[in-house]
Amino acid sequence: MTLRYNSVNVQYAKAKYDGKKFEYDNIGIHVPCKTPLFEKNEYSLLDEDYQAHILSEHYLVLSIISSICQSLLEINEIRESELKLNKTLKLDMEYLLSIKLPSRYSFLESILKFAEKESVKTQITSNTLGKNRIYKKAVSFSSLVLPFIKNLKQIPLLKNAHFSLMMDDAHDLNKYQTRSLNSWISYRDHTDFSFKVAVSKVYRPERITSNGGTILEGHDFTSIEMEKHFYNKKSDYSKMAKRILKKRLEKVDINSSPEFFFPINPSFSKGLKESEKFIINEAKKKYKDKNQIYYYVYKYGRAEYFRRRDPKANLPPYSGLDIIIDISTGVVRNLLEPCFAMYDYELSNSTNNTINKIPHSTQTKIILSKSNDAWVRLQQVGLDKEIEGCSTKQAKQVFQLFDNLMILFRERLLHHKSLPRAIEFFISERDSKVMESIQPLLDISQKAQLLYTRLGSSKDQGRKEIFYIPNRILLPSRGLDPQGQHDRAAIKAKDIYNAAFSNKKFPAEKKDTIKLKKQGNLFYENQW
Amino acid sequence: MKTSGKTLISVLSWEDRFIRGLMVDLSTTSYKNFFLLSHEGRDKLKEKNYREVKKIINEKKINFEFIKMPNDRAKRWKLLEEKFFDEDITSKNVTLDITTMRRETIWTLLSFFNSKKKNIAYTYYQPDYYNEFWLSREPDIPQLLFKHSGITKFSKKSALLIITGFDTERTRQLVNHYEPEVVLLGVQRGKQFDNNARNNFKLHKDVCKGQTTVKTFYLDAYSEDHGFKSINSALNKIKRYNVIATSQGPKLSAISLYKSFLQNTEIAMCYVPAKQYNKDYSKGIGNVFKGKF
């Protein structure tokens, strides 16, 4: 969606809508890679590697050319501008490619036709029975895209244009196409073009180029994590979430703030405040230093609410904007989906189609429903049904891992001294053989968007560490607090292995536990 | 073409209907040549039937070749291409026993034999009943058949034509993988094998909900044309798309779908390999269907 948003077509339409002049200095070209063309695998029948490479690059180059032409043809100003130079542009390309372009079309239209024709002829050749069916007029990035872009810049509107070629779903490229793309990324001169490549988080693309070199992060490319990370109300994500919700409310003529629209359950709010007050008093008895008091309250304030809940009580009445932002786990789609479900629910039950706010009871209902759905997906349905490459066995192992993680978080919430509300973790004692076994499960969990990762600083000599963040939508069904604390729990690789493969509980950290003053469970056992 | 007489090609399986169907085939038709294909794996399960095959072959004195097909798709294609296209080892008259033949193999062989203008016949034996719980699972990534990956045009969006089977998750997987703008679900008519419950079009439609536009059509794979007219008519409605077509329903629909492909070579033929097949996939032997391609 981000790439599409930044495409020249969307940006041009946006500028027109806003009554602004569109500047042609940056032209975003959306190049989708999830098409049947990229599913073709006749290249693997060819005897020689270089033949497979040529065919693969040929398809990719034609796709890029087609996307450029289609994008620019949607903009009237460009169409009009190119018509004035039609003959020159066509003659130049005909000379460069030793072809004859159809006379009755404009320059861009005829290049589009050329790309389509070449693609079709190649596919017909590849699909013909018999060995090594190779299309002999394959094109490459250097032979077609570069001269085409140079030619386009003869159009006055585009003379200073920089073409951002945005490869969407690039994880669908085959290995030859990935290597070709890496080679193009490594070009030194990016005056006229650059690449924006979107891949799924779990996909670990090759960094190798066509001639066996490597592209280096920082030198040849930069990575941008699209999953925002957040900790508290003041974090960038939290502010962004509120802005997004405010805008969505304005679109349906609701002028309230998101805080007003998603009110918290008063008893939930009261309970949290009372728990915090209790812990403040406790902290003041223990410490004089304000920072120590603050941190004590930060660690135990909310945990106290969950610890003191009656074992026979229902699950907490999850509600309020903060909870909604928390369970989204830093992902905008996870934020909007439950909000939409809540709005839709209220609209269906409304007599006058006027929604002023979402009752806290509705919020709780939807949040718990979404949470239950996530567990149904994990346990009853199984991720093998939806994640490519996930076996039935692995689906069960992933469920066991998350099930045991929730049990661990529950134990921590009830008993842990220093990190009671830690609901993120990093993996310690990373034995390579153990990691080899558990990594596929972590990858599957990420593909399923049940687990997110980010790089953070380790306390150990300032190294970078991967932090794992389970999707917080999993927590409400288990009566846990989706608002975690800033810290991460250390979980040994072998414990993760045992939890997933043998369904063994994570071992309790006895030295860091406290005994509850009150008896009872976190929640009534039969609630989920 | 090196051999004369009639040729039979089948795929080794542990199912009852494989060996019992083969016995019927060999006792009712005088085949000179028999090519038995086999996929890698589950050799122990297939051993009993293989011994039976060898016994029958020796008794009948038929030219026999056992062809073990590798797991690697490209190698598998190349092996079959070498045997049945390059060397052309069968006779002019070829019968495919498609009972235990995967769609991929059916279409591969049809492509070679059709191009060599052979007289192609086919046989299919229904079982007495299918396993009520599951037949295959752990589907692998959907694949386009080599040399049948269609003609994709940049100006067109994607459409998926699925002849549905008992497994709605297969439908979901195909839709998730290809992200088509339109899905055409081809649903088998009839009550055979609890079809109405297990192949309910509403269940298939549900798994596509929210992702794509869904349309449905009906066919009867057990009719004379195996649903060819229905499939062709459905394909005509989505000509403006890049079409990917797959048969997940009754095996005979693989024949009619391939016939449709020959009239619409722009469509891409898709199959979904499974990693696991139920050892109790089916029991017994039921009706037989024979035809000429």
Side-chain angles (χ1 to χ4, degrees):
Chain A
M1 289 303 284
T2 308
L3 295 191
R4 268 197 212 275
Y5 178 77
N6 286 292
S7 68
V8 62
N9 314 92
V10 172
Q11 290 300 307
Y12 181 81
K14 185 172 174 293
K16 289 292 160 217
Y17 181 81
D18 293 339
K20 292 179 183 165
K21 185 172 182 278
F22 180 73
E23 299 297 334
Y24 289 93
D25 47 358
N26 190 25
I27 310 282
I29 303 291
H30 181 250
V31 184
C33 298
K34 197 165 198 55
T35 72
L37 193 67
F38 292 101
E39 295 281 340
K40 286 173 175 284
N41 42 36
E42 280 76 28
Y43 67 87
S44 59
L45 294 178
L46 298 170
D47 285 341
E48 302 290 341
D49 226 26
Y50 78 88
Q51 293 169 329
H53 202 126
I54 289 169
L55 176 62
S56 302
E57 179 166 340
H58 176 72
Y59 280 142
L60 182 55
V61 163
L62 291 175
S63 297
I64 290 172
I65 291 292
S66 165
S67 296
I68 294 174
C69 292
Q70 284 180 0
S71 300
L72 298 181
L73 280 167
E74 283 184 25
I75 298 172
N76 280 337
E77 285 173 23
I78 295 180
R79 284 185 89 115
E80 284 159 15
S81 193
E82 63 137 347
L83 280 173
K84 294 171 190 167
L85 284 168
N86 202 35
K87 202 173 171 184
T88 312
L89 294 170
K90 282 171 94 169
L91 280 172
D92 284 348
M93 285 309 291
E94 283 176 351
Y95 175 76
L96 284 165
L97 299 174
S98 303
I99 55 166
K100 188 86 183 92
L101 292 169
S103 53
R104 68 180 186 281
Y105 297 111
S106 71
F107 168 63
L108 283 171
E109 282 168 344
S110 54
I111 294 294
L112 182 59
K113 295 273 177 216
F114 166 76
E116 183 106 294
K117 191 178 95 168
E118 290 299 298
S119 168
V120 168
K121 281 164 80 171
T122 310
Q123 291 175 71
I124 291 171
T125 305
S126 289
N127 282 346
T128 306
L129 285 178
K131 285 193 171 61
N132 283 333
R133 297 288 180 185
I134 303 159
Y135 186 63
K136 296 201 188 325
K137 291 185 183 175
V139 289
S140 68
F141 192 76
S142 314
S143 71
L144 182 55
V145 179
L146 292 182
F148 177 59
I149 288 177
K150 279 270 184 257
N151 215 19
L152 278 176
K153 293 185 80 164
Q154 291 187 69
I155 300 171
L157 269 182
L158 300 177
K159 71 171 193 262
N160 295 319
H162 175 92
F163 289 85
S164 288
L165 303 172
M166 304 187 293
M167 314 299 294
D168 205 355
D169 291 318
H171 42 263
D172 285 328
L173 299 177
N174 67 42
K175 71 175 181 184
Y176 302 104
Q177 289 163 336
T178 302
R179 289 179 185 189
S180 293
L181 182 57
N182 288 342
S183 295
W184 308 336
I185 287 168
S186 72
Y187 275 31
R188 285 295 159 256
D189 182 6
H190 283 284
T191 317
D192 295 335
F193 74 92
S194 61
F195 283 95
K196 310 287 182 280
V197 181
V199 292
S200 76
K201 184 73 187 290
V202 179
Y203 174 69
R204 292 185 181 86
E206 264 190 3
R207 304 277 196 241
I208 302 171
T209 64
S210 304
N211 56 5
T214 311
I215 52 170
L216 301 170
E217 184 157 4
H219 185 257
D220 299 300
F221 71 93
T222 314
S223 298
I224 300 172
E225 297 275 345
M226 295 305 291
E227 288 164 4
K228 294 258 180 224
H229 302 291
F230 71 107
Y231 296 106
N232 57 40
K233 293 176 199 186
K234 296 177 191 170
S235 74
D236 288 343
Y237 172 75
S238 181
K239 289 180 197 163
M240 184 185 78
K242 287 175 187 173
R243 274 201 310 272
I244 289 171
L245 289 173
K246 179 110 178 81
K247 260 196 161 168
R248 292 296 175 112
L249 290 173
E250 281 166 5
K251 278 202 160 162
V252 290
D253 295 325
I254 295 170
N255 293 314
S256 334
S257 67
E259 289 86 347
F260 178 85
F261 194 74
F262 296 103
I264 190 171
N265 181 310
S267 71
F268 188 37
S269 177
K270 187 179 171 206
L272 287 169
K273 281 182 183 144
E274 279 174 2
S275 302
E276 193 177 285
K277 203 172 166 184
F278 175 83
I279 293 297
I280 289 171
N281 289 337
E282 215 176 61
K284 281 178 178 170
K285 284 176 195 165
K286 281 189 171 192
Y287 305 108
K288 293 274 179 259
D289 181 70
K290 274 184 187 167
N291 286 333
Q292 281 179 307
I293 292 170
Y294 170 82
Y295 194 54
Y296 189 87
V297 173
Y298 171 72
K299 276 198 295 190
Y300 299 115
R302 283 180 73 98
E304 179 62 19
Y305 170 83
F306 289 86
R307 286 174 181 184
R308 60 168 51 184
R309 282 182 63 76
D310 192 305
K312 288 185 184 161
N314 287 328
L315 289 168
Y318 298 102
S319 52
L321 182 64
D322 288 344
I323 285 285
I324 291 171
I325 292 176
D326 287 330
I327 59 173
S328 72
T329 328
V331 178
V332 172
R333 186 177 47 241
N334 296 349
L335 172 75
L336 294 175
E337 219 194 287
C339 291
F340 171 74
M342 291 170 193
Y343 183 79
D344 194 47
Y345 180 88
E346 284 300 306
L347 204 61
S348 332
N349 292 311
S350 161
T351 46
N352 59 1
N353 282 350
T354 310
I355 313 293
N356 296 316
K357 56 171 90 170
I358 305 291
H360 52 75
S361 55
T362 301
Q363 293 178 52
T364 307
K365 188 199 287 277
I366 298 294
I367 287 169
L368 288 176
S369 165
K370 292 282 173 199
S371 189
N372 286 336
D373 286 348
W375 284 105
V376 164
R377 199 179 149 216
L378 258 175
Q379 187 178 10
Q380 270 106 291
V381 177
L383 293 182
D384 54 316
K385 302 287 191 303
E386 60 177 88
I387 304 296
E388 273 179 357
C390 175
S391 68
T392 317
K393 218 174 178 181
Q394 286 173 318
K396 187 178 173 190
Q397 287 159 355
V398 169
F399 163 70
Q400 285 173 173
L401 171 59
F402 278 94
D403 189 41
N404 284 302
L405 270 173
M406 295 301 129
I407 293 172
L408 174 69
F409 292 156
R410 172 196 177 207
E411 283 301 307
R412 297 179 76 91
L413 190 57
L414 284 182
H415 301 296
H416 208 263
K417 241 196 297 188
S418 51
L419 303 175
R421 291 191 302 116
I423 49 175
E424 300 175 7
F425 64 93
F426 64 93
I427 302 176
S428 60
E429 295 179 20
R430 298 169 76 103
D431 175 83
S432 56
K433 269 197 171 163
V434 174
M435 286 307 299
E436 213 178 289
S437 301
I438 64 175
Q439 191 60 54
L441 303 184
L442 300 172
D443 289 345
I444 288 165
S445 306
Q446 278 189 268
K447 281 185 190 174
Q449 307 244 329
L450 291 170
L451 187 70
Y452 302 101
T453 62
R454 65 177 184 87
L455 270 184
S457 296
S458 160
K459 285 173 187 167
D460 175 21
Q461 297 175 355
R463 288 195 190 117
K464 285 290 177 191
E465 186 108 58
I466 300 176
F467 296 146
Y468 297 89
I469 306 142
N471 190 327
R472 293 176 188 201
I473 196 62
L474 293 167
L475 275 61
S477 282
R478 298 298 182 102
L480 296 169
D481 184 11
Q483 188 182 106
Q485 69 183 82
H486 205 122
D487 307 274
R488 270 82 40 200
I491 302 182
K492 292 177 191 169
K494 68 171 190 219
D495 291 337
I496 292 180
Y497 178 92
N498 290 334
F501 286 77
S502 312
N503 199 20
K504 273 193 177 154
K505 283 186 186 170
F506 288 101
E509 297 160 64
K510 290 197 178 110
K511 64 178 175 153
D512 208 8
T513 57
I514 52 168
K515 274 192 179 164
L516 274 183
K517 285 177 190 161
K518 303 171 199 66
Q519 292 291 315
N521 298 317
L522 183 60
F523 38 74
Y524 192 48
E525 288 294 348
N526 293 338
Q527 273 165 354
W528 74 91
Chain B
M1 214 163 43
K2 289 179 180 172
T3 56
S4 58
K6 288 183 181 172
T7 301
L8 174 67
I9 304 179
S10 186
V11 174
L12 179 62
S13 164
W14 60 87
E15 290 181 71
D16 292 334
R17 55 180 176 153
F18 160 73
I19 193 66
R20 287 168 64 179
L22 183 65
M23 282 183 194
V24 170
D25 288 340
L26 295 178
S27 61
T28 54
T29 309
S30 22
Y31 290 105
K32 190 133 184 242
N33 318 294
F34 176 43
F35 296 97
L36 182 63
L37 312 178
S38 179
H39 289 279
E40 273 184 25
R42 307 201 102 168
D43 290 339
K44 260 195 163 170
L45 211 50
K46 294 185 274 192
E47 206 182 313
K48 184 181 166 203
N49 279 352
Y50 181 69
R51 281 201 302 268
E52 279 297 312
V53 168
K54 292 290 308 234
K55 199 171 145 194
I56 304 167
I57 295 301
N58 288 337
E59 282 167 12
K60 297 218 175 259
K61 297 190 191 326
I62 298 173
N63 294 331
F64 173 70
E65 187 171 342
F66 181 65
I67 299 171
K68 202 140 190 196
M69 295 190 287
N71 274 338
D72 180 87
R73 292 186 319 115
K75 287 180 182 169
R76 190 161 61 242
W77 171 276
K78 284 181 175 180
L79 174 67
L80 296 177
E81 183 186 47
E82 190 187 305
K83 295 273 183 198
F84 298 115
F85 186 76
D86 298 334
E87 293 173 11
D88 191 10
I89 56 175
T90 70
S91 54
K92 179 80 176 166
N93 298 301
V94 179
T95 299
L96 303 181
D97 184 341
I98 66 168
T99 306
T100 51
M101 206 177 268
R102 294 180 190 174
R103 325 272 157 154
E104 176 207 348
T105 312
I106 296 171
W107 294 335
T108 303
L109 294 176
L110 283 175
S111 77
F112 295 143
F113 297 144
N114 191 53
S115 74
K116 295 286 183 189
K117 297 196 181 351
K118 305 244 182 215
N119 298 323
I120 310 168
Y122 55 88
T123 307
Y124 173 71
Y125 291 94
Q126 281 180 323
D128 256 342
Y129 60 90
Y130 287 106
N131 187 286
E132 60 175 309
F133 298 111
W134 67 281
L135 302 178
S136 64
R137 56 189 182 196
E138 292 189 34
D140 210 335
I141 300 168
Q143 300 288 346
L144 298 186
L145 183 67
F146 289 123
K147 308 281 181 178
H148 293 71
S149 55
I151 305 293
T152 300
K153 293 199 173 149
F154 295 124
S155 47
K156 292 182 176 180
K157 304 261 186 223
S158 302
L160 194 50
L161 183 143
I162 306 174
I163 298 168
T164 62
F166 293 160
D167 191 354
T168 51
E169 292 305 320
R170 206 61 75 85
T171 300
R172 187 204 302 271
Q173 188 208 18
L174 284 158
V175 169
N176 283 349
H177 184 79
Y178 290 114
E179 295 183 7
E181 189 163 277
V182 166
V183 170
L184 230 52
L185 299 175
V187 185
Q188 170 65 35
R189 286 187 203 280
K191 296 179 191 171
Q192 65 285 338
F193 305 114
D194 203 18
N195 179 62
N196 286 339
R198 294 179 82 171
N199 189 18
N200 185 309
F201 87 93
K202 281 189 184 131
L203 296 176
H204 287 282
K205 219 172 163 172
D206 276 346
V207 301
C208 305
K209 215 168 22 177
Q211 295 192 68
T212 178
T213 304
V214 183
K215 297 180 190 202
T216 321
F217 71 97
Y218 292 90
L219 68 142
D220 186 2
Y222 300 111
S223 64
E224 208 179 307
D225 76 345
H226 308 313
F228 169 69
K229 282 200 200 84
S230 304
I231 294 169
N232 242 21
S233 164
L235 280 172
N236 279 333
K237 291 180 183 150
I238 47 174
K239 267 189 169 346
R240 61 193 177 92
Y241 292 95
N242 289 319
V243 177
I244 301 157
T246 181
S247 154
Q248 301 296 320
K251 193 67 74 69
L252 289 164
S253 63
I255 299 286
S256 43
L257 184 60
Y258 196 81
K259 279 188 179 168
S260 295
F261 165 78
L262 290 176
Q263 292 194 2
N264 303 279
T265 53
E266 295 199 353
I267 69 174
M269 299 290 278
C270 166
Y271 63 94
V272 186
K275 289 182 193 157
Q276 265 196 54
Y277 286 93
N278 193 338
K279 63 177 173 63
D280 300 315
Y281 192 97
S282 73
K283 278 278 183 295
I285 189 166
N287 296 327
V288 63
F289 294 83
K290 291 181 187 279
K292 288 196 194 312
F293 189 73

